[in-house]
Amino acid sequence: MSRYTLTKVAAATTLVFGGLVATSAAPAVAAGGSPDTVSVNGHGSVKGTPDTLIANLDAHATRDSASAALGAASQVATDVVNALEANGVDASDIQTSGVSVGATYGKGNNITGYRADESITARMNPLSTAQTALGAASQAGGNALDINSTELTISHKGAYQAKARAAAFANAKAAAEQYAQLAGRQLGRVIHITASTSGPGVVHYPYPTDSAGSAGGGAASVPINPGTQTIGASVRVVWTLR
């Protein structure tokens, strides 16, 4: 039987599979391994449009006593939650994510009062809901509400991940077939697959604040431009050679 050794060659070819961009990596035969196998890394990606905004809000109040501060902050939080629900955010997508109360100090380390905070995490889908709900929450909370962060994400990633995996495998197979042909061989069966999926995670979306750090602008609709996020997949496939 003739024996072939495939040397590692960097590949920079960009392939397109049904609108999915995939870039092939270098095929190789592991040192000391069988010369009758070929190993190829494949990559695939697909772009998706974020459809969900996650807002982390902080309702706060400072009063002379801890109980008064906590009661005031809770009232702000209640007003904010009511505003969110009234503007299309489902109650199941609103969560109290933290409550705290502590003393505030002035000169000489003397207690000057107490500050209470109630954190709220709101998941807003579709994004058109977020555009009005954020403004309404800001108006309801006024200067007693901080919008600490907003994040854009894709709510259902499964279909995107499946397409990215398919593109990655097709990418790897196309490269493997080419190198097998160059070596005068044909691809056999798959004997090993190692795979991973990446992204998109979340993208922080800046929300305008006034000089005091609280969201401003009343109940005006907040413009949100979702852009796109990339979900990628990588796969290493080992074929036998015939």
Side-chain angles (χ1 to χ4, degrees), residues 204-217:
H204 293 279
Y205 185 82
Y207 186 77
T209 59
D210 61 23
S211 58
S214 298

Side-chain angles (χ1 to χ4, degrees), residues 12 32 47 59 63 76 84 91 133 153 189 191 201-202 210-211 224 235:
K47 290 186 180 296
R63 297 291 188 271
V76 175
L84 290 171
T153 187
R189 63 187 181 89
I191 60 174
V202 296
D210 61 23
S211 58
I224 296 175
V235 64

Side-chain angles (χ1 to χ4, degrees), residues 130-218:
Q131 292 180 353
T132 56
L134 275 180
S138 173
Q139 185 181 47
N143 291 332
L145 179 72
D146 292 337
I147 300 181
N148 290 333
S149 67
T150 52
E151 303 166 345
L152 290 170
T153 187
I154 297 173
S155 58
H156 301 292
K157 305 180 183 70
Y160 294 99
Q161 291 171 337
K163 290 179 180 179
R165 286 192 293 266
F169 188 89
N171 174 219
K173 185 176 181 181
E177 287 176 338
Q178 180 183 12
Y179 282 98
Q181 182 180 18
L182 291 170
R185 306 289 292 275
Q186 292 182 335
L187 285 186
R189 63 187 181 89
V190 173
I191 60 174
H192 183 77
I193 297 176
T194 303
S196 64
T197 304
S198 63
V202 296
V203 175
H204 293 279
Y205 185 82
Y207 186 77
T209 59
D210 61 23
S211 58
S214 298

Side-chain angles (χ1 to χ4, degrees), residues 55 57 77-97 118-124 129 133 137:
L57 314 175
T78 298
D79 293 342
V80 168
V81 169
N82 289 339
L84 290 171
E85 292 181 359
N87 285 272
V89 182
D90 193 273
S92 63
D93 289 329
I94 304 173
Q95 179 183 38
T96 299
S97 50
E118 184 167 338
S119 301
I120 303 166
T121 300
R123 186 179 183 89
M124 306 176 198
T129 297

Side-chain angles (χ1 to χ4, degrees), residues 12-25 41-46 163-172 174 233:
T13 304
T14 299
L15 307 175
V16 179
F17 303 94
L20 308 179
V21 177
T23 303
S24 63
N41 294 324
H43 304 283
S45 65
V46 59
K163 290 179 180 179
R165 286 192 293 266
F169 188 89
N171 174 219

